[in-house]
Amino acid sequence: MFLRAASRLACARAAAPARQKSTTGIVGLAVEPEAKALLSAVYAKTLDQLQAFPVGSAYRSTVESLTKERLAVVEATADLALIETTIGAGQVEQLLQQANDELALLPSLLEAKVWEAYEGPGAEEIYIDLKRRGIPLQRHDIPMQPSTDYPTSDAVELIAPAPPVEA
């Protein structure tokens, strides 16, 4: 019995790609030994749930193309370092976190029907209402003024460099 279990474990380790990293180096983000399988599953589920969005919606087309691109990279190789490099958006654990966040966001966006035109009050009306209620906004509350500490290009005399001296 023990030999069979040890044999299965040895075969599983031999079949699985070696993972050298023992930490992500990011506090609170543990190494995920099954990152490739989990990424494939989350990307597939995201693509499945995106089918509920209208075909012409910008959100669906953007997320669908990004997810298909990343899924193709994940399915093309077993090397996690190559997946990280090719996608270029962090470690596989971070990619998994991003994919799960996107998947969790889909029901809210679907419920809000974000593809429909906004029919609420205009931006200026919202801004006035927020000001009336005492909610501070940086847009007009902190006026930006030109810096007086650094000279501007019209106040600086540019001098051409001297020609090189030949010896």
Side-chain angles (χ1 to χ4, degrees):
M1 175 103 173
F2 174 74
L3 291 176
R4 262 193 248 158
S7 165
R8 275 192 223 125
L9 182 61
C11 288
R13 284 189 180 161
R19 177 77 177 202
Q20 287 100 19
K21 118 170 132 174
S22 60
T23 178
T24 60
I26 301 171
V27 175
L29 188 61
V31 172
E32 179 54 62
E34 299 296 322
K36 182 177 171 11
L38 290 172
L39 270 173
S40 293
V42 173
Y43 286 150
K45 194 170 184 180
T46 299
L47 289 171
D48 184 51
Q49 287 193 13
L50 279 172
Q51 301 307 310
F53 285 79
V55 176
S57 79
Y59 177 78
R60 175 182 172 167
S61 61
T62 303
V63 173
E64 195 170 41
S65 67
L66 179 74
T67 305
K68 283 180 179 178
E69 181 182 309
R70 288 183 175 191
L71 181 60
V73 169
V74 169
E75 290 177 343
T77 182
D79 184 10
L80 296 178
L82 184 61
I83 292 171
E84 292 171 353
T85 305
T86 306
I87 293 177
Q91 300 177 38
V92 288
E93 291 81 6
Q94 290 173 299
L95 294 173
L96 187 58
Q97 193 174 43
Q98 293 165 13
N100 282 322
D101 289 346
E102 191 70 51
L103 185 61
L105 181 64
L106 289 175
S108 300
L109 295 177
L110 191 60
E111 183 182 329
K113 298 182 181 180
V114 295
W115 59 88
E116 294 180 352
Y118 178 68
E119 297 176 5
E124 196 60 37
E125 191 176 331
I126 292 171
Y127 176 72
I128 291 169
D129 180 53
L130 292 173
K131 290 281 283 185
R132 182 184 53 77
R133 294 188 310 180
I135 298 172
L137 297 175
Q138 190 173 2
R139 184 171 146 199
H140 296 295
D141 295 331
I142 304 174
M144 297 298 292
Q145 297 188 5
S147 173
T148 55
D149 297 337
Y150 300 100
T152 58
S153 60
D154 57 338
V156 174
E157 182 181 345
L158 298 175
I159 302 171
V165 179
E166 292 184 22

